[in-house]
Amino acid sequence: FIRGYEIADESFESRKVVAAEPSFFKVFDFGLKLGDEETVLTDPKNAIISSPLAEKHFSGINPIGEFITLKGKGTYTIAGVLKPIPSNSHLLFDVIIMADLNAHPYSSYKDEWQLSWGTDYVLMQENYNVENFQRDLDDIYERNTSGDEDRIIDFSLFSDLYMQGRVGSRDSLFGGDKKYVYIFSIVGVLLFLVACFNYINLKI
């Protein structure tokens, strides 16, 4: 994973550098403050930066056409700036580049059906649910493998992701955890019961 970037020969740390396919803006409702959504992720040397990053490094300057170097990946041209992302989103980015499926490391996994690389989001048609998708995926998997190993890819509804707390390996991208809701709910109930006992004792 890319852990940092350089701008104007200065180095900065970030765990929020991701690669996405050109269909990114068709799957999600993220928008660009600057740049063209149709073309920004069609050039493997383009990069999109977040609004906070643009404000931090290019305050008062249009960053389109400027350069950003990603550690271990090379130098990219800034071709887009994201509109501000709500803080409660489970997807928060500093930099987005194109996932070039014909280049390393993706190209070496083209015929590999037993390895999951990154996090995939699938936009499904109406009336086609996760269960149908997983069943069809099992059929495809069996046709392309020896069938000796179980499928290792699993899918969840997008609406459930924020509170699952286990999705993805990059904890910087995901926010909530349902177990804390249960813990605080139990604590709240216990406090309420204590208050009730205290009230009863005062009335006796």
Side-chain angles (χ1 to χ4, degrees), residues 72-90:
K73 293 291 289 183
T75 300
Y76 293 76
T77 302
I78 297 172
V81 177
L82 282 168
K83 290 179 180 177
I85 301 173
S87 59
N88 64 345
S89 173
H90 82 285

Side-chain angles (χ1 to χ4, degrees), residues 85-152:
I85 301 173
S87 59
N88 64 345
S89 173
H90 82 285
L91 291 167
L92 298 172
F93 316 103
D94 280 338
V95 183
I96 305 174
I97 59 174
M98 173 187 167
D100 187 355
L101 302 184
N102 294 314
H104 178 78
Y106 309 102
S107 58
S108 58
Y109 300 120
K110 271 190 174 181
D111 297 317
E112 178 58 66
W113 291 85
Q114 295 172 337
L115 178 66
S116 177
W117 181 270
T119 303
D120 298 301
Y121 292 84
V122 179
L123 187 62
M124 295 190 294
Q125 295 179 344
E126 254 184 278
N127 303 318
Y128 185 72
N129 57 35
V130 173
E131 289 75 22
N132 291 334
F133 180 67
Q134 290 184 331
R135 185 172 57 248
D136 291 342
L137 186 63
D138 283 337
D139 292 338
I140 296 172
Y141 185 77
E142 286 179 12
R143 289 200 301 269
N144 289 276
T145 65
S146 63
D148 295 334
E149 298 186 36
D150 293 333
R151 175 175 57 80
I152 60 173

Side-chain angles (χ1 to χ4, degrees), residues 157-178:
L157 291 175
F158 184 83
S159 56
D160 296 337
L161 292 184
Y162 188 83
M163 295 307 298
Q164 284 186 350
R166 62 176 181 80
V167 184
S169 58
R170 308 182 68 184
D171 54 4
S172 61
L173 296 185
F174 300 94
D177 194 331
K178 202 179 293 184

Side-chain angles (χ1 to χ4, degrees), residues 23-93:
S23 58
F24 176 82
F25 290 105
K26 295 178 181 177
V27 175
F28 299 104
D29 59 1
F30 294 111
L32 288 180
K33 186 181 350 183
L34 297 172
D36 184 350
E37 294 177 10
E38 295 292 325
T39 61
V40 70
L41 284 175
T42 58
D43 187 333
K45 296 310 291 180
N46 280 352
I48 302 169
I49 62 174
S50 66
S51 288
L53 214 70
E55 193 62 35
K56 176 181 178 180
H57 299 295
F58 305 100
S59 182
I61 304 171
N62 186 340
I64 302 299
E66 299 289 340
F67 299 100
I68 181 170
T69 300
L70 304 180
K71 291 181 180 179
K73 293 291 289 183
T75 300
Y76 293 76
T77 302
I78 297 172
V81 177
L82 282 168
K83 290 179 180 177
I85 301 173
S87 59
N88 64 345
S89 173
H90 82 285
L91 291 167
L92 298 172
F93 316 103

